[in-house]
Amino acid sequence: MTAVCVMVLGTTSGAGKSWLTTALCRHYARQGLKVAPFKAQNMSNNARVVAPTLHRWRGSLPPEGADAPWGGPAAHRGGEIGSAQYFQALAARAEPDVRMNPLLLKPEADTRSQVVLMGEVSRELSDMPWRGRSEKVWPHITAALDALRAENDVVVIEGAGSPAEINLHSSDIVNMRVARHAQARCLLVTDIDRGGAFAHLYGTWALLPADERALIHGFVLNKFRGDAALLAPGPQMLQDLTGVPVVATLPMWWQHGLPEEDGVFDDKTRAAGAVTKTIAVMAYPRISNLDEFQPLKNVPGVRLVWARTPADCAGADWVVLPGSKATAADLAWLRTQGLDRAVADHAAMGGAVLGICGGLQMLGEALIDTHGIEPMNLGNAPGLGLLPLVTAFDAEKTVRHTHTRFTELVGCWAALSGVATQGYEIHHGQTAQHPAMAAAGDVARPVLPNGLAWQNGAGNVLGVYLHGLFEDPQVLQALFGASAPTLDSVFNGLADFIEQHTEPGVLKALIQTN
């Protein structure tokens, strides 16, 4: 079995590559085909955990010649992949696998990222200049892709940014180099709502070498509003210039149900019906795993507000400190913005405060970083002091799925008492009671086993290490008496949408081998 590869490229970031790839995964899976997604390199602090398997090389590159075993089932390793590829795997009805996103870059600062290779942090690659990485990682990227092709009928590949970044073309490992390796049939998508769509499509095509232009099988206009007939004669003129047809015009769709990959979604997400609960989420610069809040957009009566100033917290029922890729740096940002005082004032008035992973760490008394894990040497810092806890950053990262059950909670979070839940952990921090405060009788109440969650005595401040709580139907039911659409219904809706708006026969023709 050697899979046909369909690839989604974009004229820019945010053009619609991720959700279109997800839709194609579900479309081809509904045809009875065995499908897998693939993205060679993703840059995102939204990551998911895939189940661990056999062997690991901790903290460094695999030894020379070790790429070949990655192709065999016994060699599949677990760890982190980008959230987009995780959801794409589910849409494809496939088990998420580190090979689907062999290289994940998790930004820690404007000029530095933590590099995750085949699911695990590579300190060697993280310390290497960006342009020096490509030849090191390319053999592992091709081994992962070739292994997926050997096991599937169709591999749907997502590109990154634009394939026509001429300053990056020589070191490309995610766009046209992948397309050439797989001889992929490529769709080039653009966001027409931004304006200049035909120029984006033509300019991208024109900047590609002739052999790469030949791989472009269709143009896609995304986020169109209005009467599609008004586009004429633009699509035909573009085809006359390039030989490439416009194969789909996709209307603007605000609520497709997938999380945003590249950043926070609209600042004030309106709920269906009258607003009964406003949740302010701190939008610090290195926010991570924000995709876990997507289900709240679909809970009746809930409004999400992304808080960057104290004014954004005014009137909030809950204040949430989400995950962070740079806990100490984001905590310093909270202080600079005056949001530390806003959180403290909210808690002092009895308002509900929730910290998730890095947010839990911020709620404690202190951060201790003897291993230099936190970027910019900011890891040793006082916390917000809302929970009597201390977090020490460990050299090893905890990456795992967790099934657990809440013990008894009080106050704002009492509805979670006894609720069984599941989620995932991605953290270096290890959090425990503050020794001196515990000796004085000031203790936090553990409300999940193994130090996964803590509550203050008043019951209004809760910190948890577990990501994905709001994706758990039992948690949503307990907290809101409501449910959100299932992922399966979201994926089917995406497939229905592209089937409706793509020219007849195009999707089938992309995977025909004769």
Coordinates of all heavy atoms in Angstrom, one line a residue, residues 230-300:
L230 N -20.5 37.2 -8.7 CA -19.8 38.5 -8.9 C -18.2 38.3 -9.1 O -17.5 39.2 -9.4 CB -20.0 39.4 -7.7 CG -21.5 39.9 -7.6 CD1 -21.7 40.7 -6.3 CD2 -22.0 40.6 -8.8
L231 N -17.8 37.1 -8.8 CA -16.3 36.8 -8.9 C -15.9 36.8 -10.4 O -14.8 37.0 -10.8 CB -16.0 35.5 -8.3 CG -16.0 35.5 -6.7 CD1 -15.9 34.0 -6.2 CD2 -15.0 36.4 -6.1
A232 N -16.8 36.4 -11.3 CA -16.5 36.3 -12.7 C -16.2 37.7 -13.3 O -16.7 38.7 -12.8 CB -17.7 35.7 -13.5
P233 N -15.2 37.7 -14.2 CA -14.5 36.6 -14.8 C -13.2 36.3 -14.2 O -12.3 35.6 -14.8 CB -14.3 37.2 -16.2 CG -14.0 38.7 -16.0 CD -14.9 39.1 -14.8
G234 N -13.0 36.7 -12.9 CA -11.7 36.5 -12.2 C -11.2 35.0 -12.2 O -10.0 34.8 -12.6
P235 N -12.0 34.0 -11.8 CA -11.5 32.7 -11.8 C -11.0 32.2 -13.2 O -10.0 31.5 -13.3 CB -12.7 31.8 -11.3 CG -13.5 32.8 -10.5 CD -13.3 34.1 -11.2
Q236 N -11.8 32.5 -14.3 CA -11.3 32.1 -15.6 C -10.1 32.8 -16.1 O -9.2 32.2 -16.7 CB -12.5 32.3 -16.6 CG -12.2 31.8 -18.0 CD -11.9 30.3 -18.0 OE1 -12.7 29.5 -17.5 NE2 -10.8 29.9 -18.5
M237 N -10.0 34.1 -15.7 CA -8.8 34.8 -16.1 C -7.6 34.2 -15.3 O -6.5 34.1 -15.9 CB -8.9 36.3 -15.7 CG -10.0 37.0 -16.5 SD -10.3 38.7 -15.9 CE -8.8 39.5 -16.3
L238 N -7.7 33.9 -14.1 CA -6.7 33.2 -13.3 C -6.3 31.9 -13.9 O -5.1 31.6 -14.1 CB -7.1 33.1 -11.9 CG -6.0 32.6 -10.9 CD1 -4.8 33.5 -10.8 CD2 -6.6 32.3 -9.5
Q239 N -7.2 31.1 -14.4 CA -6.9 29.9 -15.0 C -6.2 30.1 -16.3 O -5.3 29.3 -16.7 CB -8.2 29.0 -15.2 CG -7.9 27.6 -15.8 CD -9.2 26.8 -15.7 OE1 -10.2 27.1 -15.2 NE2 -9.1 25.6 -16.4
D240 N -6.6 31.1 -17.1 CA -5.9 31.4 -18.3 C -4.5 31.7 -18.1 O -3.6 31.4 -18.9 CB -6.6 32.5 -19.0 CG -8.0 32.2 -19.5 OD1 -8.4 31.0 -19.6 OD2 -8.8 33.1 -19.8
L241 N -4.2 32.4 -17.0 CA -2.8 32.8 -16.7 C -1.9 31.6 -16.2 O -0.7 31.5 -16.4 CB -2.8 33.9 -15.6 CG -3.2 35.3 -16.1 CD1 -3.5 36.2 -14.9 CD2 -2.2 35.9 -17.0
T242 N -2.6 30.7 -15.5 CA -1.8 29.7 -14.7 C -2.1 28.2 -15.2 O -1.3 27.3 -14.9 CB -2.2 29.7 -13.2 OG1 -3.6 29.4 -13.0 CG2 -1.9 31.1 -12.6
G243 N -3.2 28.0 -15.8 CA -3.6 26.7 -16.2 C -4.3 25.9 -15.0 O -4.6 24.7 -15.1
V244 N -4.5 26.6 -13.9 CA -5.0 26.0 -12.6 C -6.4 26.5 -12.4 O -6.6 27.7 -12.3 CB -4.1 26.3 -11.4 CG1 -4.7 25.7 -10.2 CG2 -2.7 25.8 -11.6
P245 N -7.4 25.6 -12.2 CA -8.8 26.1 -12.0 C -9.0 26.5 -10.6 O -8.4 26.0 -9.7 CB -9.6 24.9 -12.4 CG -8.7 23.7 -12.1 CD -7.3 24.2 -12.4
V246 N -10.0 27.3 -10.4 CA -10.6 27.5 -9.0 C -11.6 26.4 -8.8 O -12.6 26.4 -9.5 CB -11.3 28.9 -8.9 CG1 -12.0 29.1 -7.6 CG2 -10.2 30.0 -9.1
V247 N -11.3 25.6 -7.8 CA -12.1 24.3 -7.7 C -13.1 24.5 -6.5 O -14.0 23.6 -6.4 CB -11.2 23.1 -7.4 CG1 -10.3 22.9 -8.6 CG2 -10.4 23.3 -6.2
A248 N -13.0 25.5 -5.7 CA -14.0 25.7 -4.7 C -14.0 27.2 -4.2 O -13.0 27.8 -4.2 CB -13.6 24.8 -3.5
T249 N -15.2 27.6 -4.0 CA -15.5 28.9 -3.3 C -16.2 28.7 -2.1 O -17.4 28.3 -2.1 CB -16.2 29.9 -4.3 OG1 -15.5 30.1 -5.5 CG2 -16.5 31.2 -3.6
L250 N -15.6 28.8 -0.9 CA -16.1 28.4 0.4 C -16.7 29.7 1.1 O -15.9 30.6 1.3 CB -15.1 27.8 1.2 CG -14.4 26.6 0.6 CD1 -13.3 26.0 1.5 CD2 -15.4 25.4 0.2
P251 N -18.0 29.7 1.4 CA -18.5 30.9 2.1 C -17.9 31.1 3.5 O -17.4 30.1 4.1 CB -20.0 30.5 2.2 CG -20.2 29.4 1.2 CD -19.0 28.7 1.1
M252 N -18.0 32.3 3.9 CA -17.6 32.6 5.3 C -18.4 31.7 6.3 O -19.6 31.6 6.2 CB -17.8 34.1 5.6 CG -17.5 34.5 7.0 SD -15.8 34.5 7.4 CE -15.2 36.0 6.6
W253 N -17.7 31.1 7.2 CA -18.3 30.2 8.2 C -17.7 30.5 9.5 O -16.6 30.1 9.8 CB -18.1 28.8 7.8 CG -18.9 27.8 8.5 CD1 -19.9 28.0 9.4 CD2 -18.8 26.4 8.5 NE1 -20.4 26.9 9.9 CE2 -19.8 25.8 9.3 CE3 -17.9 25.5 7.8 CZ2 -19.9 24.4 9.5 CZ3 -18.1 24.1 8.0 CH2 -19.1 23.6 8.8
W254 N -18.4 31.2 10.4 CA -17.9 31.7 11.6 C -17.8 30.6 12.7 O -16.9 30.5 13.5 CB -18.7 32.8 12.2 CG -18.7 34.1 11.5 CD1 -19.6 34.6 10.6 CD2 -17.6 35.0 11.4 NE1 -19.2 35.8 10.1 CE2 -18.0 36.1 10.6 CE3 -16.4 35.1 12.0 CZ2 -17.2 37.2 10.3 CZ3 -15.6 36.2 11.8 CH2 -16.0 37.2 10.9
Q255 N -18.8 29.7 12.7 CA -18.9 28.7 13.8 C -18.7 27.3 13.2 O -19.6 26.4 13.3 CB -20.2 28.8 14.5 CG -20.4 30.1 15.2 CD -19.6 30.2 16.5 OE1 -19.0 29.2 17.0 NE2 -19.5 31.4 17.1
H256 N -17.5 27.0 12.6 CA -17.3 25.6 12.1 C -17.1 24.6 13.2 O -17.2 23.4 13.0 CB -16.2 25.6 11.1 CG -14.9 26.2 11.5 ND1 -14.2 25.7 12.5 CD2 -14.3 27.3 11.0 CE1 -13.1 26.4 12.7 NE2 -13.1 27.4 11.8
G257 N -16.7 25.1 14.4 CA -16.6 24.2 15.6 C -15.2 23.7 15.9 O -15.0 23.1 16.9
L258 N -14.2 24.0 15.0 CA -12.8 23.6 15.3 C -12.2 24.8 16.1 O -12.4 25.9 15.8 CB -12.1 23.4 14.1 CG -12.2 22.0 13.4 CD1 -11.3 21.9 12.2 CD2 -11.9 20.9 14.3
P259 N -11.2 24.4 17.0 CA -10.5 25.5 17.6 C -9.6 26.2 16.6 O -9.2 25.7 15.6 CB -9.6 24.7 18.6 CG -10.2 23.4 18.7 CD -10.9 23.1 17.4
E260 N -9.3 27.5 16.9 CA -8.4 28.3 16.1 C -7.0 27.8 16.5 O -6.6 27.5 17.6 CB -8.5 29.8 16.5 CG -9.8 30.4 16.1 CD -10.1 30.5 14.6 OE1 -9.1 30.4 13.9 OE2 -11.2 30.5 14.2
E261 N -6.1 27.6 15.4 CA -4.8 27.1 15.7 C -3.8 28.2 16.0 O -2.9 28.1 16.8 CB -4.3 26.3 14.5 CG -2.8 25.9 14.7 CD -2.3 24.9 13.8 OE1 -2.7 24.8 12.6 OE2 -1.5 24.1 14.2
D262 N -3.9 29.3 15.3 CA -2.8 30.3 15.4 C -2.9 31.4 16.4 O -2.1 32.3 16.5 CB -2.7 31.0 14.0 CG -2.2 30.0 12.9 OD1 -1.4 29.1 13.3 OD2 -2.7 30.1 11.8
G263 N -4.0 31.4 17.2 CA -4.2 32.5 18.2 C -5.5 32.4 18.8 O -6.4 31.6 18.5
V264 N -5.8 33.4 19.7 CA -7.1 33.4 20.4 C -8.1 33.8 19.4 O -7.9 34.5 18.4 CB -7.1 34.5 21.5 CG1 -6.1 34.1 22.6 CG2 -6.8 35.9 21.0
F265 N -9.3 33.2 19.6 CA -10.4 33.5 18.7 C -11.0 34.9 19.0 O -10.4 35.6 19.8 CB -11.5 32.4 18.6 CG -11.6 31.6 19.9 CD1 -12.4 32.1 20.9 CD2 -11.0 30.4 20.1 CE1 -12.6 31.4 22.1 CE2 -11.2 29.7 21.2 CZ -12.0 30.2 22.3
D266 N -12.1 35.3 18.4 CA -12.6 36.6 18.6 C -12.7 37.0 20.0 O -13.1 36.2 20.9 CB -14.0 36.7 17.9 CG -14.9 35.5 18.2 OD1 -14.5 34.4 17.9 OD2 -16.0 35.8 18.7
D267 N -12.4 38.3 20.3 CA -12.2 38.7 21.7 C -13.5 38.5 22.6 O -13.3 38.2 23.7 CB -11.9 40.2 21.7 CG -10.4 40.4 21.2 OD1 -9.7 39.5 21.3 OD2 -10.1 41.6 20.9
K268 N -14.6 38.7 22.1 CA -15.8 38.5 22.9 C -16.7 37.5 22.1 O -17.4 37.8 21.2 CB -16.6 39.8 23.1 CG -15.8 40.8 24.0 CD -16.6 42.0 24.2 CE -15.9 42.9 25.3 NZ -14.6 43.4 24.8
T269 N -16.5 36.2 22.6 CA -17.3 35.2 21.9 C -18.7 35.1 22.5 O -18.8 34.8 23.7 CB -16.5 33.8 22.1 OG1 -15.2 33.9 21.6 CG2 -17.3 32.7 21.4
R270 N -19.7 35.3 21.7 CA -21.0 35.4 22.2 C -21.7 34.0 22.3 O -21.6 33.2 21.4 CB -21.8 36.3 21.3 CG -21.4 37.8 21.3 CD -22.0 38.6 20.2 NE -21.6 38.1 18.9 CZ -20.5 38.5 18.3 NH1 -19.6 39.2 18.9 NH2 -20.2 38.0 17.1
A271 N -22.4 33.8 23.3 CA -23.1 32.6 23.5 C -24.4 32.6 22.8 O -24.9 33.7 22.5 CB -23.3 32.3 25.0
A272 N -25.0 31.4 22.6 CA -26.4 31.4 22.2 C -27.3 31.8 23.3 O -27.2 31.4 24.4 CB -26.7 30.0 21.7
G273 N -28.3 32.7 23.0 CA -29.2 33.2 24.0 C -28.6 34.2 24.9 O -27.6 34.8 24.7
A274 N -29.4 34.5 26.0 CA -29.0 35.5 26.9 C -27.7 35.1 27.7 O -27.6 33.9 28.0 CB -30.1 35.8 27.9
V275 N -26.8 36.0 27.9 CA -25.6 35.7 28.6 C -25.9 35.5 30.1 O -26.4 36.4 30.7 CB -24.5 36.8 28.4 CG1 -23.3 36.5 29.3 CG2 -24.1 36.8 26.9
T276 N -25.5 34.4 30.6 CA -25.7 34.1 32.1 C -24.4 33.9 32.8 O -24.4 34.0 34.0 CB -26.5 32.8 32.3 OG1 -25.9 31.7 31.6 CG2 -27.9 33.0 31.7
K277 N -23.3 33.7 32.1 CA -22.0 33.6 32.7 C -20.9 34.1 31.8 O -20.8 33.7 30.6 CB -21.7 32.1 33.1 CG -20.4 31.9 33.9 CD -20.2 30.5 34.2 CE -21.3 29.8 35.1 NZ -21.3 30.4 36.4
T278 N -20.1 35.1 32.3 CA -19.0 35.6 31.6 C -17.7 35.1 32.1 O -17.4 35.1 33.3 CB -19.0 37.2 31.6 OG1 -20.2 37.7 31.0 CG2 -17.8 37.7 30.9
I279 N -16.9 34.5 31.3 CA -15.6 33.9 31.7 C -14.5 34.7 31.0 O -14.4 34.8 29.8 CB -15.5 32.4 31.2 CG1 -16.7 31.6 31.9 CG2 -14.2 31.8 31.6 CD1 -16.8 30.2 31.4
A280 N -13.6 35.3 31.8 CA -12.5 36.1 31.4 C -11.2 35.2 31.4 O -10.9 34.7 32.5 CB -12.3 37.3 32.2
V281 N -10.6 35.0 30.3 CA -9.4 34.2 30.2 C -8.2 35.1 29.9 O -8.2 35.9 29.0 CB -9.6 33.1 29.0 CG1 -8.3 32.2 28.9 CG2 -10.8 32.3 29.2
M282 N -7.2 35.0 30.7 CA -6.0 35.8 30.6 C -5.3 35.4 29.2 O -5.0 34.3 29.0 CB -5.0 35.5 31.7 CG -5.5 35.8 33.1 SD -5.9 37.6 33.4 CE -7.7 37.5 33.5
A283 N -5.1 36.5 28.4 CA -4.6 36.3 27.0 C -3.1 36.7 27.1 O -2.7 37.6 26.4 CB -5.3 37.0 26.0
Y284 N -2.3 36.0 27.9 CA -0.9 36.4 27.9 C -0.1 35.9 26.7 O -0.6 35.1 25.9 CB -0.2 35.9 29.2 CG -0.7 34.7 30.0 CD1 -0.6 33.4 29.5 CD2 -1.3 34.9 31.2 CE1 -1.0 32.3 30.2 CE2 -1.8 33.8 31.9 CZ -1.7 32.5 31.5 OH -2.1 31.5 32.2
P285 N 1.1 36.5 26.5 CA 1.7 36.3 25.2 C 2.1 34.9 24.8 O 2.0 34.5 23.6 CB 3.0 37.2 25.3 CG 2.7 38.2 26.4 CD 1.8 37.5 27.3
R286 N 2.4 34.0 25.8 CA 2.8 32.7 25.5 C 1.7 31.7 26.0 O 2.0 30.6 26.4 CB 4.1 32.3 26.2 CG 5.3 33.2 25.7 CD 5.5 33.1 24.2 NE 6.4 34.2 23.8 CZ 6.6 34.6 22.5 NH1 5.8 34.0 21.6 NH2 7.4 35.5 22.2
I287 N 0.5 32.1 25.8 CA -0.7 31.2 26.2 C -0.5 29.9 25.4 O -0.1 29.9 24.2 CB -2.0 31.9 25.8 CG1 -3.2 31.1 26.3 CG2 -2.1 32.2 24.4 CD1 -4.5 31.9 26.2
S288 N -0.9 28.8 26.1 CA -0.8 27.5 25.4 C -2.1 26.8 25.6 O -2.9 27.0 26.5 CB 0.4 26.7 26.0 OG 0.1 26.3 27.3
N289 N -2.3 25.8 24.7 CA -3.5 24.9 24.8 C -4.8 25.7 24.9 O -5.8 25.2 25.5 CB -3.3 23.9 25.9 CG -2.1 23.1 25.8 OD1 -1.0 23.5 26.1 ND2 -2.3 21.9 25.2
L290 N -4.9 26.8 24.2 CA -6.1 27.6 24.3 C -7.3 26.9 23.6 O -8.4 27.2 23.7 CB -5.9 29.0 23.7 CG -5.5 29.1 22.3 CD1 -6.6 29.2 21.3 CD2 -4.6 30.4 22.1
D291 N -6.9 25.9 22.7 CA -8.0 25.2 22.0 C -8.9 24.5 22.9 O -10.0 24.1 22.5 CB -7.3 24.2 21.0 CG -6.3 23.3 21.7 OD1 -5.4 23.8 22.3 OD2 -6.4 22.1 21.6
E292 N -8.5 24.2 24.2 CA -9.4 23.5 25.1 C -10.6 24.3 25.5 O -11.5 23.8 26.1 CB -8.6 23.0 26.4 CG -8.1 24.1 27.2 CD -7.2 23.6 28.4 OE1 -7.7 22.7 29.1 OE2 -6.1 24.0 28.5
F293 N -10.6 25.6 25.2 CA -11.7 26.5 25.6 C -12.8 26.5 24.5 O -13.9 27.1 24.6 CB -11.3 27.9 25.9 CG -10.3 28.0 27.0 CD1 -9.0 28.2 26.9 CD2 -10.8 27.8 28.3 CE1 -8.1 28.2 27.9 CE2 -10.0 27.8 29.4 CZ -8.6 28.0 29.2
Q294 N -12.5 25.9 23.3 CA -13.4 25.9 22.2 C -14.8 25.4 22.6 O -15.8 26.0 22.2 CB -12.9 25.0 21.1 CG -13.8 24.8 19.9 CD -14.1 26.0 19.1 OE1 -13.2 26.9 19.0 NE2 -15.2 26.2 18.5
P295 N -15.0 24.3 23.4 CA -16.3 23.9 23.7 C -17.2 24.9 24.5 O -18.4 24.9 24.3 CB -16.1 22.7 24.6 CG -14.8 22.1 24.2 CD -14.0 23.3 23.9
L296 N -16.5 25.8 25.2 CA -17.3 26.9 25.9 C -18.0 27.8 25.0 O -18.9 28.5 25.3 CB -16.4 27.6 26.9 CG -15.7 26.8 28.0 CD1 -14.9 27.7 28.9 CD2 -16.8 26.1 28.8
K297 N -17.4 27.9 23.7 CA -18.1 28.8 22.7 C -19.5 28.3 22.4 O -20.3 29.1 21.9 CB -17.3 28.9 21.5 CG -15.9 29.5 21.6 CD -15.1 29.5 20.4 CE -15.7 30.3 19.3 NZ -14.9 30.3 18.0
N298 N -19.7 27.0 22.6 CA -21.0 26.4 22.2 C -21.9 26.1 23.4 O -23.0 25.5 23.2 CB -20.7 25.1 21.5 CG -19.8 25.3 20.2 OD1 -20.1 26.2 19.4 ND2 -18.8 24.5 20.1
V299 N -21.6 26.5 24.6 CA -22.4 26.3 25.7 C -23.4 27.5 25.8 O -23.0 28.7 25.9 CB -21.6 26.2 27.0 CG1 -22.5 26.2 28.3 CG2 -20.7 25.0 27.0
P300 N -24.7 27.2 25.8 CA -25.7 28.3 25.9 C -25.5 29.2 27.1 O -25.3 28.7 28.3 CB -27.0 27.6 26.0 CG -26.7 26.2 25.3 CD -25.3 25.9 25.7

